[in-house]
Amino acid sequence: MTVFGRLAAGCAATSLAALSIATPAQAVETDEIAWVSPFIEYVTNIGMDATTPKPIEITISNSSPTSAVDVSVTIDASDVSDAFRIDLPGASQGCTVAGKVATCMLDELAGDATHAYQVDALPGDLDVLRYWGVIEVTTSAANMPEEQQTTGRVQLTGPGVDLVVGEIDDVTLQPGESTNVPVQATNVGTVAAAGVQVVLSTGLDLELPDRYDNCEYNPDFLELTCQILGEVGPGEVFSLHEETPLRVKVGETAPGPSERIVTVAVLPLGDDEVAALGAMSARSAGNELRLAALDPLPDINESDNWTDFLVTIPKQPADSVAIGATVQGAVGDVVDIEVGMRNDGPADLILPGEAWAPSALVTLPVGVEAVAVGDRCAPVVDGSPVWDDRGQPNGLVYFCRPTHSPVAGETFHYPFQVEIVGAAGAAGSIVIDGGVQDPDTGNNTAEITLGSGGEGAGGGLPVTGANAGLLAGVGAVLVVAGAVAVVMFRRRRIVTVVD
């Protein structure tokens, strides 16, 4: 699935979750509802002189964990004029065609699964002066609340380069491991490309270790852009030379279990870029990324100018350790203390999700009163954190969460200011939740004691306050996770023939 397809699936899943919370119970229980959404490229350009069919992929995604049953997919090309020859999916793809409409049926589409259909397009009767049209795709299922619909535009263009990128399989890598990215693309257009631009964009915790003179790395976008001279004619396929690979590497302390997306784009170079690159190559015989020898392509891939693949990182240990404190002073003193959590690694902590985020349940010792509370902590009232009062003192029990998932070796502190108001009583505690990566939960609890100001200290760690596990689940939903923007610049010259 393309990166936009993955993101669309995620958004649909979030919408479904919101729907299941916001709407009253219907005849179908929420855990039985499926959500099947279609995806088609927004615009597909087809050369007016093309003789090779242009494949248009339609992806159907079930973004819910529940299997969709009796799935119906309608691909309607009625709006497309006879200036195009549209080959809709037929019996070989499980569809029936009537005129310019294909109806496709699936008995079942498993949860979190996708299914693809291919439409082939060629220029048709060019005397019909309507050189564009819209393909409408509609999905429905027996256990889906409502139909989903999307559209894609097809339009005729002048002669040009049309690069199509081959799909890349997902991989599983341990921290420190790397893999070659098998970049391969085909020119299905009618004009040769004098050179190509290859762009690799990665997610957090992934590295692009290879550096070449004709490549530029942007650390802000985690993106490597390489410009390569070498003609790619119509019908030719190219790949990177085996002596100049591009690799993706998982960082040494990468957290797991987790998944990261790598996006690969291949674009034709413009005339100015080709000239500049030729001048650079003439001046220097440096270490440059090169193309492998070109071979004719027997088949046409279903993808387009870019594709993506997942790098899965298996579970990695990250030992979360609680840090307690001792309150020292006399009755009436106002004292600053810090408690917190430390990630002793060896891996970073995974990013927060809907079900979990790193957190701490802080219970102050008897004999003190909270005067000031850090803005990452909310008072616990009747067993639940009151997030509207975050950073406000109220009682002795607080639920806290860090601003981010600590990396290996990082400590995150929660500051408190307390007044000693009486004799020392039962000790307090900080209890942290390190999630599935935590190999040693024995160090997840630390004492918070009142060292002086009264007689005797509390014995042991009392069971006070709310249940830490339940609070962690509530807090995880409210964690705001950072996102890395991945920007892809597409530079291609398209001559569009309009009415």
Side-chain angles (χ1 to χ4, degrees), residues 129-491:
L129 298 179
R130 186 171 182 264
Y131 290 167
W132 62 271
V134 172
I135 298 175
E136 184 177 270
V137 185
T138 305
T139 56
S140 63
N143 56 338
M144 184 168 145
E146 58 188 19
E147 291 183 343
Q148 294 295 294
Q149 191 176 86
T150 190
T151 59
R153 179 186 174 102
V154 293
Q155 59 187 24
L156 292 178
T157 71
V161 178
D162 190 0
L163 299 179
V164 177
V165 178
E167 292 184 353
I168 299 175
D169 293 334
D170 298 342
V171 296
T172 297
L173 297 175
Q174 297 283 350
E177 291 183 342
S178 64
T179 184
N180 286 353
V181 181
V183 179
Q184 178 177 294
T186 306
N187 183 2
V188 299
T190 57
V191 175
V196 296
Q197 177 171 277
V198 177
V199 182
L200 259 63
S201 303
T202 65
L204 293 172
D205 307 306
L206 298 182
E207 302 169 4
L208 298 169
D210 298 306
R211 295 291 183 267
Y212 299 98
D213 293 346
N214 56 331
C215 297
E216 181 178 349
Y217 180 66
N218 187 326
D220 295 330
F221 294 145
L222 306 177
E223 184 174 87
L224 185 70
T225 301
C226 302
Q227 295 183 338
I228 312 168
L229 285 178
E231 184 172 291
V232 183
E236 290 184 329
V237 59
F238 75 86
S239 59
L240 300 182
H241 197 285
E242 61 181 8
E243 295 179 359
T244 58
L246 286 179
R247 293 173 297 157
V248 169
K249 180 181 178 181
V250 176
E252 297 289 345
T253 62
S258 58
E259 291 181 335
R260 299 289 182 263
I261 294 178
V262 179
T263 303
V264 180
V266 177
L267 312 170
L269 291 180
D271 294 340
D272 292 343
E273 295 164 315
V274 171
L277 197 59
M280 184 188 75
S281 298
R283 290 193 304 268
S284 171
N287 178 34
E288 293 189 357
L289 188 69
R290 291 178 285 151
L291 300 183
L294 304 180
D295 296 310
L297 180 71
D299 299 310
I300 296 176
N301 201 284
E302 295 180 352
S303 50
D304 212 318
N305 281 72
W306 56 275
T307 188
D308 67 82
F309 64 97
L310 283 178
V311 175
T312 298
I313 306 169
K315 185 169 76 172
Q316 304 298 321
D319 189 14
S320 295
V321 180
I323 301 172
T326 299
V327 183
Q328 298 282 4
V331 173
D333 288 350
V334 175
V335 181
D336 292 322
I337 63 171
E338 281 188 340
V339 297
M341 64 179 296
R342 184 178 67 248
N343 178 9
D344 278 355
D348 303 336
L349 270 183
I350 60 177
L351 297 175
E354 292 184 0
W356 175 85
S359 62
L361 181 63
V362 176
T363 303
L364 299 175
V366 173
V368 305
E369 181 178 294
V371 175
V373 177
D375 63 2
R376 302 305 302 173
C377 296
V380 175
V381 179
D382 296 330
S384 299
V386 182
W387 295 107
D388 288 343
D389 293 340
R390 187 177 68 180
Q392 300 299 316
N394 183 2
L396 295 180
V397 184
Y398 297 85
F399 184 70
C400 307
R401 60 186 187 234
T403 56
H404 58 277
S405 293
V407 300
E410 183 180 7
T411 300
F412 193 90
H413 294 283
Y414 303 109
F416 287 82
Q417 189 177 74
V418 299
E419 180 182 358
I420 300 174
V421 295
S429 65
I430 175 172
V431 182
I432 62 173
D433 181 0
V436 297
Q437 293 175 269
D438 201 344
D440 179 13
T441 57
N443 55 19
N444 286 15
T445 300
E447 284 190 334
I448 306 173
T449 59
L450 176 56
S452 60
E455 295 183 1
L461 295 177
V463 180
T464 59
N467 180 279
L470 291 176
L471 290 177
V474 175
V477 177
L478 300 174
V479 170
V480 178
V484 175
V486 176
V487 177
M488 182 168 299
F489 298 94
R490 300 186 175 212
R491 287 174 289 188

